[in-house]
Amino acid sequence: MINFQKKPVKLNEVEPLCSRFNISQILASIFVRRGITTSSDLLFFLEDNLRFQHSPFCFCDIEDAVERIIQAKEEGEKILIFGDSDVDGITSTAILYDFLVKFGCDVKWRLPVCDDAYGLSMTAVDDFANEGGTLIITVDCGISNIEETKHAADLGIDVIITDHHNPQKEIPPALFVLDPKIPELNYPFSEISGAAVAYKLVSALRFSQSDFYNAEICLFNISENNEEKCYDIDCLKIRNLVKIKELHEKIFPEKTSIYDLKLPYFLQGQLIYSWDVPKTQKILHSIFGNGIEFNLQDLKKEISNISPSLGNKSIEQLENISVTAKYCESNEKSPVNTLYNLYVTYCQKIIANKNPQSQEDERKDLQLVALAALADIMPMKNENRIFVKNGIASMKKDMPRPGLAELFNRLKINLDELNSTVLSWQVIPALNAAGRLGKSNLSLQLLISQDPKEREQLANTIFDLNEERKELVSQAFFAVQDSAKQSFTENQNKLCLCYDECINKGVTGLVANKLMQDFNAPAIAISFCDDGKSEPICVGSIRTCRGFVATDFLEKFGDFFINHGGHDCAAGFSFHKGKLPLFIEKTKDFLNDIQLVDEGNQAVSIDAQLPVTELTPEIFKILDLFEPFGAENNELVFYTPKIRLCDVQLVGKKEPMHLKLTFETEKHKIVGMFWSQGERFGKDIKLGQHYDILYNMSRNYYNGFTTNQLIIKDLQLSVL
């Protein structure tokens, strides 16, 4: 049986989670084993409300970017959206383009096609300048386009960069940059996709059309502190629903003068909201007398208009029922934070009620953000979970947005079984295929076309391109197998490098990824591009594992590349073909610096050991909490000992056959699929025996029925 281990957990680690978040011991123990124990981490597994995503105004420059786009709209300027050719770039472009068209902007888009290099190009800048364009917005690219950005500025074109790739040492001199990987921009979560960054910009633009845009207000609360025999004053300034400044002071009656406090200066010129103004004013008058007036607005009265049930509750009662407060650590809890959470929810409700179409558009955007997160292998934690959960929920409830609907139909996607795995293995490769074969514009047109007939034709074309892409990968991999093995040996089993004219430029990443999986080491695949007009170019992709950081490796080459960039585990680059021998030589020079994490024969970590009595339909609800699975959130693995096998069927139309195993639990029977293990039937797998099984939980969808099932990873005969 597969070697597995169960990380021990202590009762004092599990019980606090059970009581605080009202979850079962099994669920709490899984969280502890996975290191998901802080309230901020748990929030994104236990909640899926969009209220919990980070505000776009956390980006310190986004308000200025919004103002520049509004100015471009009002003055009729020409705007160019420049994206990338992969799923992240295509969805980013579609999200921003759709919004700017509805917003009334003069906007066009451009993507790399055919042999175009990654990122903003000089040609694209020059072409746009000749058209009289004045504003370029990059999506999912731009952070490495220093010279192109300078060139645009020289031509009088402003550039707003929205990207999520790792920045190099020098940041392009754009008008504004939005990249969560740049710490100085203060975005609280760095691992979002390029489409998510574009979505944040669109969200900020949508918010700019509300009455709350640029409104700076102060939330004020005063409460009696019996322990210290004083009053605690808490003030919080917010702008665009984001906290910008706090003040906390203590007032000791008959000892503290108003002039001893920072309070008057903090409140000066502010619109001040408090909960239950009459009560608050009474306390203030008792402290400072009637000669000093605080001009307070009653938040309680306003919120009661849309949520009457809250009108008769105190701040303490509100905190007890607040979902947001449940995920605040004790040192973060305060009456003014309760007011803040209440005010944000209140504002969002008003905006939603005033503009329901905007909410519908947001849900459609999230379908694309979900695809991008999965396509770019973003970690399935923090707000990425909210994006993917809400995106998939919208596809199921609202139906897939135009373009996706036609592609789903062509791929025969069943919405009942739609999840992150289906999107990752069926939908995303098809959308990516057009870009890989130099026709990224087709996938984008599919997502933004207003013509149903055109979308249907595009879906068929993209399906055919995906079939062609599969064949190209197969041919390329077959051609480089021997040279890849030789390279791996020559590079001390640390790195695999292959190059061949038969590798299509668009599939270098797929070939590198397959080599990485086969050799369990970083891999580089290089293709050649020759348009006959200029010097031939090498275009390569690197895919990594075992702690090897792709962008750090490429940085070692200095100014060797025409361009390069990417993420920790996946990156791309290009250089003149004449430099190929030097590239290979430099790669060997860096081998001593490569230290790969030795994964060895690591045991599979199981999330829980479930006795047969616990293997009930109820336990499958855990799946819904941990979906979406993906990077940094692997599928749940369980172990159940001594479960009786009561039926076996051989299934499949060709070798190797699969086993459909039926097990007896205490009150139910449950099916387990054991893929490609048909030959074991009648040997070590026999009816009536008890087995110890290692498995994932799953659901099977067939003819409109949904049944729970196990995906068996391994089993062995129990010792009774």
Side-chain angles (χ1 to χ4, degrees), residues 511-532:
V511 173
N513 191 66
K514 186 156 178 51
L515 291 170
M516 179 200 72
Q517 292 173 340
D518 281 6
F519 292 106
N520 191 29
I524 298 173
I526 297 174
S527 69
F528 306 126
C529 295
D530 186 356
D531 60 6

Side-chain angles (χ1 to χ4, degrees), residues 247-419:
L247 175 70
H248 305 282
E249 290 193 295
K250 294 184 183 297
I251 299 176
F252 293 87
E254 301 179 2
K255 292 182 182 179
T256 307
S257 165
I258 187 73
Y259 305 107
D260 298 329
L261 301 171
K262 297 176 183 177
L263 183 65
Y265 308 101
F266 191 87
L267 298 179
Q268 190 173 10
Q270 298 289 307
L271 176 63
I272 310 166
Y273 275 104
S274 184
W275 189 261
D276 197 349
V277 166
K279 180 181 176 183
T280 304
Q281 291 281 25
K282 186 177 179 181
I283 296 173
L284 291 170
H285 288 157
S286 72
I287 299 171
F288 300 115
N290 295 331
I292 297 176
E293 282 295 329
F294 288 79
N295 185 20
L296 304 178
Q297 306 296 314
D298 202 333
L299 186 58
K300 180 178 183 178
K301 193 176 292 184
E302 291 195 23
I303 287 179
S304 296
N305 291 331
I306 61 169
S307 299
S309 62
L310 302 179
N312 60 351
K313 289 183 168 54
S314 66
I315 287 287
E316 293 73 23
Q317 289 172 321
L318 289 171
E319 185 173 302
N320 289 333
I321 63 173
S322 168
V323 175
T324 309
K326 182 168 70 171
Y327 296 99
C328 290
E329 301 298 346
S330 55
N331 62 336
E332 298 172 333
K333 290 185 178 180
S334 71
V336 77
N337 265 337
T338 301
L339 283 183
Y340 168 72
N341 293 325
L342 198 60
Y343 181 74
V344 171
T345 303
Y346 160 73
C347 293
Q348 290 177 341
K349 275 191 177 181
I350 288 179
I351 293 169
N353 291 339
K354 279 190 175 181
N355 194 349
Q357 181 60 48
S358 180
Q359 305 304 302
E360 183 181 330
D361 290 342
E362 181 181 30
R363 292 195 297 273
K364 288 180 180 177
D365 287 347
L366 284 166
Q367 294 185 18
L368 300 184
V369 177
L371 285 171
L374 295 168
D376 255 31
I377 318 179
M378 295 294 99
M380 284 299 106
K381 61 183 183 180
N382 208 282
E383 66 179 342
N384 283 332
R385 297 187 58 75
I386 287 181
F387 296 151
V388 179
K389 278 187 177 183
N390 280 273
I392 293 175
S394 174
M395 292 175 195
K396 289 183 170 184
K397 183 179 178 182
D398 305 324
M399 301 300 290
R401 58 180 282 152
L404 286 186
E406 287 79 7
L407 185 60
F408 279 27
N409 184 55
R410 185 64 184 86
L411 295 171
K412 295 182 171 56
I413 301 294
N414 179 356
L415 287 181
D416 288 336
E417 61 182 287
L418 188 67
N419 58 21

